[in-house]
Amino acid sequence: MAVNAGSHNAPGMPTGPVTEPPPPISATSKSAIKSAEKRAKFEAKKAKQPAQQASTTTAKPAKAKQQDTTLPKFQELTPPGDKKILRPLDDPWCKAYHPAAVESAWDAWWEKSGFYKPQFDKDGNVKPKGTFTIPIPPPNITGSLHCGHALATTLQDVLIRWHRMKGYTTLYVPGSDHAGISLQSIVEKRLKREKGLTRHELGREAFLALCHDWKDDYRARITTSLRRLGGSMDWSREAFTMDDNLSHAVREAFTRLHDEGLIYRANKLVNWCTHLQTTLSNLEVDNIELTGTTKLDVPGYQRKIEFGTIWYFKYPIDGTEDTLEVATTRPETMLGDSGIAVNPKDTRYQHLIGKCARHPFIDGRLLQIVADDHAKIDEGSGAVKLTPAHDPNDFEIGKRHKLEFINIYNDDGTLNANTGPFEGQRRFDARYKVLEALKAANLYSKEESRTMSLPKCSRSGDIIEPLMKPQWWMSMKELGAPALNAAKTGEIIFKPESSQKNFVNWLERINDWCLSRQLLWGHRVNCWRLVEQEDTQSAEELWVAADNETEARQKAEKRYPGRKFSLQQDDDVLDTWFSSGLWPFSTLGWPKETPDFKTFYPTGLLETGWDILFFWIARMIMLGIKLTGNVPFREVFCHSLIRDSEGRKMSKSLGNVIDPIDVMEGISLEDLQAKLHEGNLDPKEIEKAKKYQKSTFPQGIPECGTDALRFTLAHYTTSSSDINLDITSIHMFRRFCNKIYQATNFALGKFPTDFIPRATSEMTGQESLAERWILHQFSTAARDINRALSERDFGRSTRLAHQYFYDLCDTYIEVSKAIIQQDGPDAGSSISALNTLYTVLEGALTLLHPYMPFLTEELWQRLPRRPGDETPSIMLAAYPEGDADARMQDVKSRDDFEIAIEAARALRNLIAERKNNKTEVQGYLKPTEDSTYDLLSSQQDAIVALVGKALSKVTVLSSKDQEPKECTVRTGEDATAYLFEQMKLE
């Protein structure tokens, strides 16, 4: 029976690598694949012939009709939660590999059977090997999952399944994140588009109800996607960052840190989005690099606004006729200037230090001229205008020289009363008005193109405005020190090592964290301001943090006895990353001392993308150590980022964001493009995305299946580069799934109906050389795959598994076919070959299970069990270690059989090089050493089996035999191959 990995190739879908060549396969494998593809093409060509043409032949009319091979939509027969009813192998859905048929029913049975839950020993204790826990990085509920989530889920689940099979008590915690600003932005856009209302017009409660509706919908979608991806998560422990317990954890953490003084309130510079009217974290700000003058679209403006230009203008020196030239890329901010800095060593301006410049548009405002090293003598005019309330550098200079901090903006980006005649104008309208006024006052000098970094809101596309706001801040130096120590001492291991270096560098330069967000959706700040009912002279704001208002009042009365006040809770919400920072322990029940928290904390590993190393991982470590006294996880693995096949970052506006379900189940181009209208894309972006999809997926996306997607993602995971994901590569591994399926079906067809494998996989000592070779390959593959997974080298582990299965199919199965058929005196060899086939095939499926959970379960359940083996599922089977039977490690047998394989390869290559494939061929092998003669002579049948049907016999020549004449020759290290050709007789 031919084992064909090339079946089910989608029309028009070429195969090829993504960021590296496909896994290496032997020459035997390549030849087998090529032959199988030729046969497939020939059969397809025959199938396309019209029925009329077929009816003209002498064949019976009924057989001449073209057969419709299209299968109806798959219908699962198993009741949900029951163990899967396996269809017979001659069922149309079982004759070949069909992902829909293979993947159905298993997830529901696994969950109902409790296999996803932690497995304890008979006494209810953790298993001797210990625990291994992974908290899923919670996906945002803003939309469907993408292939980045699929990569993370794959790698996490591979490790969970691997540890479960190795005997650990494992826990994989699922959940999702409320995604504060992201979700609110989406809901606001939809509200405006569908009802023409803002969140303020709708009202707080009604708006929050819309957010909860969205959350319920997309949380269900996310759960469905994670299940389809094969994630073996304990769904009874599913969490959401705004669940009751997790919300309580947020309030408890805030209260503790506030009471210790680590959370404080201060009026400092923040990233302000005027469109969303909220502060932003650095993660939510995209810095766009401009190479010069550029005009860009800005939300709310009809015309494009100019950036990447520096404008020069002059300030009059108070009491003189002199002027001082300054320059800025933001002319409108001169309305908030309160000083000018010059370098103390700049002789041009030393006489001006201590004097004042006069603002040309704001009556009575004087700008102090100060000496500061921040001003560079050789940059621009050498004088720097200072807007302390709207620029980070100016903010620090302003503090050093006690300048006035003048805010010029309202929350919506319009100018306030501090801007004099420009009050009420929008900021970028004011930009051009200020330039006009400077020119009218004869204070304008010139403009130049300038490279610059422009901060944009990643949610709205608005230009970020630095401005001062009273906000809640967290002091990070004290929290950062223990986290830094944990990284440097190896208490937490980072992989790849570059992540650890980046982590340390960032912590050594850490700044305080702005916690406040001016949103409705999220965790409302659990802090109450004391509004005193009697007049007092104190200007200090008094705040108390507590779990609820009742506790806040009790706390305030104890702290300020005898004073009368009312309580007013802060309207702001906390940055989403604050609640996410508690995720590893809040999901286990903290702040309560729950059994889960006691058993599974610290967790074993955090697997996530390197792009949130600082914004999430660092904060989890700092908060974990501070609040629990222990690190939240022992290891951090940062995976690569997924890009499209052209190496571009995934973006909805580009149309290259791929829903993993579309890859697993397939989707037409029409349906793929229809999905673009479900989001909040601008019509122009939709058309751009459609063009990309049409060029990249002209026939849509073929059905690849979950197992192929998972194997591909693991295969291309490296520690050094991002992943350029190509659908053709996923489909290539779909054919590998078919090879596994067909090989197992072949074995099932060869096992007698009453076949019972031996009780153990221990060798008997009666195994043939081919058996000893494949058992050695199995043992070696198991050892090396375990080692690769221990080192988190996912790519290498899949290549090892891939290569081993090709060794099994293309070599051992081919060699064993004739042996398995034997009976009579040779029946012992047949039984031994069958038992070895069972051992290496069942072992292959268990090796592959962490990567391909559905396919391996489907096939493993069809195999007979060893006596006494009552393991209900492959996911609970013991993972091969590679050292179960030391005799399997047989280097000599490996080397000996490799000589026979190489000899067969040489003959096969000679046959493939024939100019006339209608000739009859005879093969000869002449060993280079006498010691090899007996070896090759004993393996003649194996060599013929590996060469294929083109050669029915091979002759092994001794050193005394003459070399055959008129042959093509290929010389190898251990033997020389000869091929004699003659025309076939008619």
Side-chain angles (χ1 to χ4, degrees):
M1 172 181 176
V3 180
N4 179 18
S7 303
H8 303 89
N9 191 19
M13 295 295 291
T15 61
V18 179
T19 56
E20 60 179 358
I25 59 176
S26 64
T28 308
S29 304
K30 293 177 182 177
S31 177
I33 294 171
K34 187 173 182 181
S35 300
E37 288 177 342
K38 285 182 178 180
R39 290 196 298 274
K41 289 179 180 179
F42 177 70
E43 294 298 330
K45 186 175 180 181
K46 289 200 303 180
K48 290 180 180 179
Q49 294 177 351
Q52 293 86 342
Q53 179 179 347
S55 65
T56 62
T57 66
T58 57
K60 295 181 180 180
K63 294 184 178 180
K65 292 181 180 179
Q66 185 175 356
Q67 298 295 316
D68 181 9
T69 58
T70 304
L71 293 172
K73 184 177 180 180
F74 179 76
Q75 297 292 329
E76 178 54 58
L77 304 175
T78 308
D82 286 3
K83 186 172 182 179
K84 187 171 183 176
I85 300 171
L86 296 175
R87 299 173 184 237
L89 292 176
D90 58 357
D91 184 283
W93 282 102
C94 299
K95 292 180 179 179
Y97 170 66
H98 294 286
V102 166
E103 296 169 10
S104 67
W106 291 120
D107 173 73
W109 176 64
W110 286 333
E111 183 182 10
K112 185 177 179 181
S113 300
F115 300 154
Y116 291 164
K117 293 180 179 296
Q119 306 291 313
F120 297 91
D121 64 18
K122 294 179 180 180
D123 297 327
N125 299 318
V126 169
K127 292 184 177 181
K129 286 195 174 182
T131 63
F132 183 77
T133 308
I134 294 181
I136 181 178
N140 290 339
I141 55 167
T142 48
S144 302
L145 300 189
H146 51 67
C147 282
H149 296 107
L151 171 63
T153 302
T154 294
L155 301 185
Q156 293 157 25
D157 193 58
V158 163
L159 292 177
I160 284 289
R161 288 180 183 270
W162 178 56
H163 278 86
R164 185 185 290 122
M165 297 173 77
K166 285 171 69 68
Y168 288 79
T169 297
T170 59
L171 175 60
Y172 190 9
V173 183
S176 51
D177 191 284
H178 67 279
I181 191 171
S182 303
L183 178 61
Q184 177 158 322
S185 177
I186 289 173
V187 174
E188 281 195 77
K189 287 181 180 179
R190 173 169 286 191
L191 179 65
K192 189 69 175 177
R193 184 175 66 248
E194 296 180 354
K195 297 184 179 180
L197 297 175
T198 67
R199 70 174 189 262
H200 306 289
E201 293 168 335
L202 186 64
R204 184 185 190 98
E205 296 306 318
F207 182 79
L208 289 177
L210 288 180
C211 292
H212 278 286
D213 289 343
W214 179 285
K215 178 262 295 183
D216 292 340
D217 181 15
Y218 277 88
R219 189 177 177 185
R221 296 191 191 191
I222 289 170
T223 298
T224 298
S225 295
L226 292 174
R227 288 180 179 277
R228 285 290 289 108
L229 284 164
S232 56
M233 302 153 185
D234 184 355
W235 293 103
S236 68
R237 289 173 166 86
E238 183 181 8
F240 175 58
T241 49
M242 290 177 66
D243 284 344
D244 289 344
N245 185 71
L246 275 70
S247 295
H248 173 59
V250 168
R251 296 191 299 272
E252 177 70 18
F254 187 95
T255 300
R256 289 190 192 182
L257 297 171
H258 179 270
D259 288 352
E260 289 187 37
L262 292 173
I263 290 180
Y264 62 95
R265 191 166 178 83
N267 189 21
K268 299 199 290 187
L269 274 184
V270 297
N271 298 315
W272 185 260
C273 174
T274 63
H275 186 77
L276 299 176
Q277 296 186 36
T278 182
T279 55
L280 299 175
S281 70
N282 291 333
L283 181 65
E284 293 153 336
V285 176
D286 296 330
N287 290 298
I288 311 301
E289 301 301 324
L290 303 179
T291 58
T293 299
T294 308
K295 291 190 175 182
L296 300 173
D297 289 319
V298 177
Y301 292 84
Q302 294 297 319
R303 64 174 173 175
K304 291 179 181 291
I305 307 301
E306 184 175 335
F307 300 95
T309 299
I310 187 167
W311 288 273
Y312 292 78
F313 67 93
K314 303 170 185 175
Y315 272 119
I317 303 300
D318 188 45
T320 73
E321 297 298 321
D322 295 334
T323 59
L324 181 57
E325 187 177 70
V326 295
T328 180
T329 57
R330 301 157 65 204
E332 66 280 6
T333 62
M334 63 89 66
L335 300 170
D337 285 356
S338 61
I340 301 172
V342 296
N343 192 286
K345 297 179 182 179
D346 195 333
T347 57
R348 295 173 296 174
Y349 305 127
Q350 286 178 344
H351 67 289
L352 296 177
I353 297 172
K355 296 185 178 181
C356 293
R358 187 175 66 256
H359 202 288
F361 308 131
I362 311 297
D363 291 341
R365 186 188 296 178
L366 296 178
L367 285 64
Q368 183 180 350
I369 301 173
V370 299
D372 198 281
D373 290 333
H374 177 75
K376 306 301 179 186
I377 298 175
D378 56 351
E379 288 186 10
S381 67
V384 179
K385 63 181 284 296
L386 299 175
T387 319
H390 296 290
D391 182 271
N393 292 321
D394 296 358
F395 180 84
E396 297 300 326
I397 298 172
K399 288 197 298 182
R400 286 199 292 270
H401 298 281
K402 299 181 180 179
L403 300 179
E404 186 178 3
F405 288 74
I406 305 171
N407 176 37
I408 64 173
Y409 293 116
N410 298 311
D411 287 351
D412 62 358
T414 58
L415 273 60
N416 62 24
N418 291 330
T419 61
F422 297 92
E423 181 181 2
Q425 295 185 25
R426 297 185 303 172
R427 55 180 172 155
F428 293 127
D429 290 338
R431 169 172 295 188
Y432 296 103
K433 293 295 184 181
V434 165
L435 290 172
E436 291 174 5
L438 287 170
K439 291 176 182 178
N442 201 29
L443 295 173
Y444 180 83
S445 297
K446 62 180 179 178
E447 65 182 66
E448 295 175 348
S449 179
R450 173 67 63 91
T451 59
M452 66 175 292
S453 180
L454 184 69
K456 292 183 68 177
C457 173
S458 63
R459 310 302 177 187
S460 67
D462 195 16
I463 305 303
I464 293 300
E465 199 62 56
L467 54 80
M468 294 181 66
K469 284 276 185 183
Q471 302 286 286
W472 293 105
W473 297 81
M474 183 181 290
S475 180
M476 303 303 287
K477 293 291 184 182
E478 182 178 334
L479 289 175
L484 187 62
N485 182 67
K488 287 184 174 180
T489 60
E491 188 176 2
I492 298 177
I493 298 171
F494 289 80
K495 294 180 181 179
E497 291 183 5
S498 58
S499 299
Q500 191 262 2
K501 295 177 182 177
N502 293 334
F503 181 83
V504 168
N505 290 337
W506 183 76
L507 275 182
E508 290 176 340
R509 298 177 288 106
I510 195 170
N511 296 314
D512 285 359
W513 174 15
C514 178
L515 297 175
S516 309
R517 297 293 179 269
Q518 289 64 50
L519 303 171
L520 299 180
W521 177 248
H523 294 281
R524 190 174 177 183
V525 175
N526 55 301
C527 215
W528 283 261
R529 186 167 68 90
L530 278 60
V531 182
E532 300 214 44
Q533 297 177 1
E534 298 178 356
D535 292 338
T536 65
Q537 300 299 316
S538 175
E540 179 187 4
E541 284 190 338
L542 302 178
W543 294 84
V544 290
D547 187 73
N548 53 61
E549 186 171 347
T550 300
E551 290 185 12
R553 179 167 296 280
Q554 294 171 352
K555 204 177 219 180
E557 290 172 346
K558 183 177 181 180
R559 188 175 299 173
Y560 308 107
R563 296 167 70 167
K564 295 181 179 180
F565 49 79
S566 61
L567 296 179
Q568 183 178 350
Q569 186 176 0
D570 194 335
D571 284 331
D572 288 351
V573 302
L574 293 169
D575 182 3
T576 300
W577 295 107
F578 185 81
S579 56
S580 300
L582 312 177
W583 184 257
F585 44 98
S586 63
T587 52
L588 298 175
W590 186 91
K592 301 173 185 175
E593 288 285 331
T594 63
D596 275 3
F597 181 73
K598 294 177 181 178
T599 303
F600 298 108
Y601 189 85
T603 65
L605 173 138
L606 180 84
E607 190 284 332
T608 188
W610 58 261
D611 54 327
I612 53 175
L613 178 64
F614 314 131
F615 304 101
W616 187 43
I617 299 173
R619 287 163 178 167
M620 283 190 288
I621 295 173
M622 288 185 281
L623 290 171
I625 294 174
K626 177 63 180 177
L627 296 171
T628 73
N630 211 334
V631 294
F633 27 73
R634 301 297 186 189
E635 180 184 348
V636 175
F637 178 81
C638 294
H639 65 241
S640 304
L641 298 186
I642 289 190
R643 300 181 181 274
D644 68 13
S645 58
E646 299 174 16
R648 298 180 303 174
K649 186 176 179 180
M650 295 291 191
S651 167
K652 291 181 180 179
S653 61
L654 291 176
N656 60 0
V657 175
I658 302 174
D659 186 333
I661 288 184
D662 292 338
V663 178
M664 293 184 283
E665 299 180 356
I667 188 172
S668 67
L669 177 62
E670 181 182 4
D671 290 341
L672 193 63
Q673 298 195 334
K675 293 179 71 171
L676 293 171
H677 295 275
E678 296 177 3
N680 289 303
L681 287 181
D682 182 270
K684 292 181 180 178
E685 293 179 326
I686 289 177
E687 292 306 311
K688 182 179 179 182
K690 283 184 176 180
K691 288 182 180 179
Y692 171 82
Q693 289 180 343
K694 187 174 182 180
S695 64
T696 308
F697 312 115
Q699 300 176 28
I701 299 176
E703 179 192 35
C704 296
T706 302
D707 295 307
L709 174 61
R710 286 172 56 118
F711 198 84
T712 305
L713 293 172
H715 176 75
Y716 288 109
T717 295
T718 67
S719 61
S720 58
S721 62
D722 291 344
I723 300 172
N724 293 354
L725 188 64
D726 192 341
I727 296 297
T728 56
S729 297
I730 304 173
H731 208 267
M732 175 181 71
F733 283 114
R734 185 197 191 280
R735 294 196 298 276
F736 177 51
C737 290
N738 183 65
K739 188 178 187 72
I740 298 168
Y741 189 89
Q742 298 292 9
T744 306
N745 277 0
F746 165 81
L748 290 169
K750 295 302 178 183
F751 291 141
T753 55
D754 59 350
F755 175 72
I756 299 176
R758 289 197 301 267
T760 71
S761 61
E762 292 184 5
M763 297 176 67
T764 64
Q766 303 301 313
E767 289 81 8
S768 66
L769 180 61
E771 290 176 73
R772 298 197 300 274
W773 174 82
I774 192 60
L775 289 168
H776 173 88
Q777 298 297 86
F778 167 58
S779 177
T780 302
R783 180 198 65 198
D784 293 346
I785 290 171
N786 277 284
R787 187 174 299 164
L789 287 175
S790 296
E791 296 168 356
R792 310 303 185 235
D793 192 345
F794 295 94
R796 181 168 177 264
S797 71
T798 58
R799 288 190 288 273
L800 289 165
H802 186 274
Q803 180 59 59
Y804 166 66
F805 207 89
Y806 268 83
D807 287 342
L808 168 60
C809 294
D810 296 350
T811 301
Y812 180 71
I813 286 181
E814 291 301 322
V815 170
S816 66
K817 284 178 180 177
I819 301 174
I820 290 172
Q821 307 274 358
Q822 294 175 353
D823 52 20
D826 297 318
S829 298
S830 175
I831 294 173
S832 178
L834 282 171
N835 273 285
T836 297
L837 176 59
Y838 178 88
T839 295
V840 296
L841 178 60
E842 196 267 352
L845 294 178
T846 51
L847 285 175
L848 286 166
H849 176 72
Y851 314 95
M852 298 178 165
F854 296 109
L855 176 60
T856 52
E857 183 74 275
E858 176 89 8
L859 299 175
W860 188 86
Q861 292 289 351
R862 293 182 182 273
L863 292 178
R865 300 266 68 80
R866 296 187 188 276
D869 182 4
E870 297 179 357
T871 308
S873 167
I874 191 173
M875 67 187 297
L876 301 182
Y879 199 78
E881 297 287 349
D883 54 2
D885 186 345
R887 285 182 295 176
M888 284 188 184
Q889 281 292 316
D890 188 343
V891 176
K892 184 179 186 308
S893 293
R894 178 203 64 188
D895 292 344
D896 286 348
F897 198 66
E898 289 289 347
I899 293 174
I901 294 173
E902 186 58 36
R905 183 179 296 121
L907 288 169
R908 193 167 56 250
N909 289 338
L910 288 174
I911 293 173
E913 293 168 1
R914 289 181 299 167
K915 295 182 179 179
N916 186 348
N917 59 10
K918 294 183 179 180
T919 58
E920 291 182 342
V921 296
Q922 298 178 36
Y924 300 89
L925 292 170
K926 187 168 186 178
T928 55
E929 297 181 5
D930 290 341
S931 59
T932 312
Y933 173 80
D934 292 338
L935 170 65
L936 290 178
S937 297
S938 68
Q939 297 303 311
Q940 289 184 68
D941 291 341
I943 293 170
V944 169
L946 292 175
V947 173
K949 295 181 179 180
L951 186 69
S952 59
K953 183 180 178 182
V954 63
T955 301
V956 180
L957 305 174
S958 70
S959 59
K960 300 177 181 179
D961 294 327
Q962 294 293 321
E963 295 183 0
K965 306 296 183 180
E966 301 179 1
C967 293
T968 52
V969 182
R970 183 176 291 266
T971 301
E973 181 178 349
D974 297 291
T976 300
Y978 302 86
L979 191 72
F980 178 77
E981 299 180 61
Q982 64 182 13
M983 293 300 297
K984 296 179 182 178
L985 297 176
E986 295 295 335

